[in-house]
């Protein structure tokens, strides 16, 4: 069974990687040109092969919009281009489509798009949640953080991804601080989640007040601005960033060598995956990740295709945790695994982790 996955640039860097000629052009102009561009087929994905010999192929279909444009334009205008991209994928034989980045955030997180799509739709958020929580816990293990006494801060806690991450993290930690801007939704979710989890649940609408409260931070916001500042982070903190566009400030990489930041949603794809650009034969489509890896939301779509699951798997903001566990198990069986840790375009190897721990010890000694 074949798949399609709807993509769009999440940053100006994404645009320039795809079209180097965009360098030097004003960002507002780029955003406007993109608004006028129709949907197109960007990449042909082949070589996804499981250890037990199953294979799938698919296409990345682009709905050209910058994230800010998607939030600003009338919803129907945005839906129309996403549906045009889905139609291109269905025309090529895809029987399921995943919604990348803001195409799964806009409006009701895929529900309306699924009603109008000729093929089943998934946001890919179930596997993103599983991968994000695993990534945060892997980072905590590397930084030797004692989870049982620690506070986790979830920024974007009422979202599709964030809310499920809160529930999955809660059994591991002493306290979870939930952060989002809409106070009513935040309090409603906090009251609901307190009935199901044993740990302490605290809420705030102020990111800068929340982040210093825990050494475990997970971000899953739909913000188009950087939210996490270097000065806010505790010594030796671990930050798992799921948000795309990125919401962890780039200055953190330079100013906080004692903090381990990791993009939480990157996965190694089984087989020998190729992401061939459709319009430029011979070139690979570079979406900013190392070869052989993909985002967890892309991976969820591939896993559903490998499993021949012709169903709209993950939709809307109320995530079914049973599906998170199921897709996590199916992905593992299909040979998908967490990619190596990575942040700010750099891989985090053992030497880097050791240096981060040493910097945290030094900072603690200096500020003690
Ligand atoms: N890495 C991957 O594989 C992957 C896969 C899928 C999605 N994503 C990314 O994950 C992120 C979240 O997706 P989602 O589907 O969960 O979105 P969502 O359901 O729209 O949730 C977004 C959350 O962020 C909060 N938020 C937005 N702006 C904020 C701000 N300035 N400060 C604090 N909180 C803010 C929202 O609450 P309020 O509006 O009340 O603030 C909400 O809780 C997006 O960036 C998406 O592109 C990544």
């Amino acid at each position: 069974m074949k798949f399609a996955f709807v993509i769009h640039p999440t940053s100006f860097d994404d645009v320039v990687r795809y079209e180097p000629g965009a360098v030097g052009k004003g960002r507002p102009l780029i955003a406007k040109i993109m608004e006028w561009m129709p949907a197109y087929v960007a990449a042909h994905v082949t070589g996804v092969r499981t250890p037990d010999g199953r294979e799938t192929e698919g296409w990345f279909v682009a709905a050209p919009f910058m994230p800010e444009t998607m939030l600003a334009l009338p919803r129907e205008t945005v839906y129309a281009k996403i549906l045009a991209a889905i139609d291109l994928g269905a025309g090529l034989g895809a029987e399921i489509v995943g919604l990348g980045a803001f195409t799964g955030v806009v409006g009701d997180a895929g529900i309306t798009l699924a009603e109008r799509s000729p093929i089943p739709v998934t946001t890919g958020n179930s596997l993103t949640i599983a991968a994000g929580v695993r990534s945060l816990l892997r980072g905590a293990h590397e930084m030797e953080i004692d989870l049982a006494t620690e506070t986790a801060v979830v920024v974007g806690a009422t979202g599709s991804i964030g809310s499920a991450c809160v529930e999955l993290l809660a059994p591991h930690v002493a306290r979870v601080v939930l952060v989002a801007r809409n106070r009513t939704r935040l309090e409603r979710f906090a009251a609901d989640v307190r009935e199901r989890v044993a740990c302490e649940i605290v809420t705030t609408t102020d990111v800068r007040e929340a982040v210093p409260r825990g050494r475990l931070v997970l971000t899953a916001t739909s913000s188009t601005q950087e939210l996490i500042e270097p000065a806010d982070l505790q010594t030796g903190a671990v930050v798992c960033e799921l948000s795309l566009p990125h919401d962890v400030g780039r200055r953190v990489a330079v100013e906080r060598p004692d903090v381990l930041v990791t993009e939480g949603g990157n996965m190694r794809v089984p087989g020998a995956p190729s992401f061939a650009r459709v319009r430029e034969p011979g070139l690979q489509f570079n979406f900013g990740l190392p070869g052989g890896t993909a985002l967890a939301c892309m991976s969820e779509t591939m896993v559903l295709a490998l499993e021949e699951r012709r169903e709209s798997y993950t939709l809307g903001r109320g995530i079914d945790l049973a599906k998170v566990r199921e897709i996590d198990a199916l992905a593992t069986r299909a040979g998908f695994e967490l990619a190596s840790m990575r942040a700010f375009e750099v891989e985090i190897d053992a030497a880097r982790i050791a240096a981060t721990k040493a910097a945290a010890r030094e900072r603690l000694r200096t500020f003690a």
Side-chain angles (χ1 to χ4, degrees):
M1 176 175 152
K2 297 172 185 168
F3 69 90
F5 188 80
V6 186
I7 57 167
H8 71 97
T10 59
S11 67
F12 193 65
D13 287 348
D14 280 353
V15 178
V16 169
R17 248 197 321 270
Y18 187 77
E19 180 47 71
V23 157
K25 299 213 167 53
R27 294 179 189 212
L29 177 66
I30 299 284
K32 205 67 199 166
I33 290 172
M34 233 178 287
E35 211 180 301
W36 295 325
M37 278 168 69
Y40 63 95
V41 183
H44 185 200
V45 185
T46 54
V48 180
R49 198 173 307 113
T50 66
D52 56 8
R54 292 171 292 149
E55 276 192 52
T56 182
E57 67 172 303
W59 291 269
F60 286 171
V61 285
F65 279 128
M66 292 306 281
E68 307 77 22
T69 321
M70 284 172 104
L71 297 181
L73 283 178
R75 201 162 288 170
E76 287 300 325
T77 309
V78 178
Y79 281 164
K81 202 190 278 189
I82 298 172
L83 285 165
I86 293 175
D87 282 342
L88 289 173
L92 289 162
E95 293 182 81
I96 185 145
V97 62
L99 300 175
F102 271 33
T103 68
V105 169
V106 70
D108 54 12
I111 294 171
T112 302
L113 289 168
E115 282 164 11
R116 300 181 189 175
S117 163
I119 52 177
V121 172
T122 190
T123 57
N125 285 356
S126 294
L127 192 54
T128 303
I129 292 157
V133 171
R134 265 183 206 275
S135 267
L136 184 68
L137 298 182
R138 173 173 70 175
H141 176 73
E142 294 290 0
M143 293 297 283
E144 297 174 21
I145 291 174
D146 177 11
L147 293 175
T149 57
E150 195 51 67
T151 296
V153 181
V154 177
V155 190
T158 53
S160 166
I161 296 172
S163 58
C165 289
V166 169
E167 303 224 18
L168 293 175
L169 283 172
H172 296 277
V173 295
R175 185 177 309 98
V176 186
V177 180
L178 318 187
V179 195
R181 293 163 307 175
N182 183 310
R183 161 82 56 200
T184 312
R185 263 203 306 264
L186 187 60
E187 293 306 340
R188 200 180 312 128
F189 173 62
D192 188 40
V193 86
R194 278 187 193 109
E195 306 216 329
R196 290 192 295 275
V197 304
C199 79
E200 187 186 351
I201 296 288
V202 182
T203 62
T204 173
T205 55
D206 182 347
V207 183
R208 301 210 60 188
E209 186 255 322
V211 170
R213 292 169 76 167
R215 275 210 295 161
L216 302 170
V217 180
L218 183 142
T219 75
T221 75
S222 51
S223 169
T224 56
Q225 312 292 324
E226 293 181 349
L227 296 176
I228 311 285
E229 302 283 342
D232 300 335
L233 289 155
Q234 275 198 33
T235 302
V238 175
V239 184
C240 170
E241 186 200 47
L242 288 171
S243 313
L244 280 172
H246 299 292
D247 57 6
V248 177
R250 296 193 70 87
R251 284 195 301 124
V252 172
V254 182
E255 294 175 26
R256 295 300 304 271
D258 61 302
V259 167
L260 183 65
V261 181
T262 170
E263 292 165 5
N266 302 342
M267 305 208 71
R268 199 183 323 280
V269 178
S274 160
F275 303 88
R277 283 173 72 141
V278 168
R279 291 173 172 180
E280 296 85 8
L283 285 185
Q284 283 286 299
F285 180 70
N286 177 357
F287 48 99
L289 293 185
T293 61
L295 294 172
C297 47
M298 295 169 177
S299 303
E300 173 170 321
T301 313
M302 293 176 195
V303 171
L304 293 172
L306 287 163
E307 292 288 328
E308 311 240 341
R309 297 279 291 260
R310 293 171 182 80
E311 61 187 275
S312 288
Y313 194 79
T314 314
L315 292 178
R317 296 208 152 75
I319 294 285
D320 178 352
L321 293 184
K323 283 189 170 173
V324 175
R325 294 190 180 99
E326 182 190 47
I327 197 77
D328 193 28
L330 292 175
T332 304
R333 185 172 76 118
F336 289 76
E337 54 186 35
L338 277 190
S340 305
M341 285 199 259
R342 182 182 166 81
F344 308 111
E345 282 95 52
V346 179
E347 186 173 328
I348 301 161
D349 57 12
R352 177 81 184 273
I353 292 168
T356 308
K357 277 164 50 176
R361 276 194 300 272
E362 177 59 20
R363 196 175 148 98
L364 276 180
R365 203 180 55 76
T366 314
F367 290 101

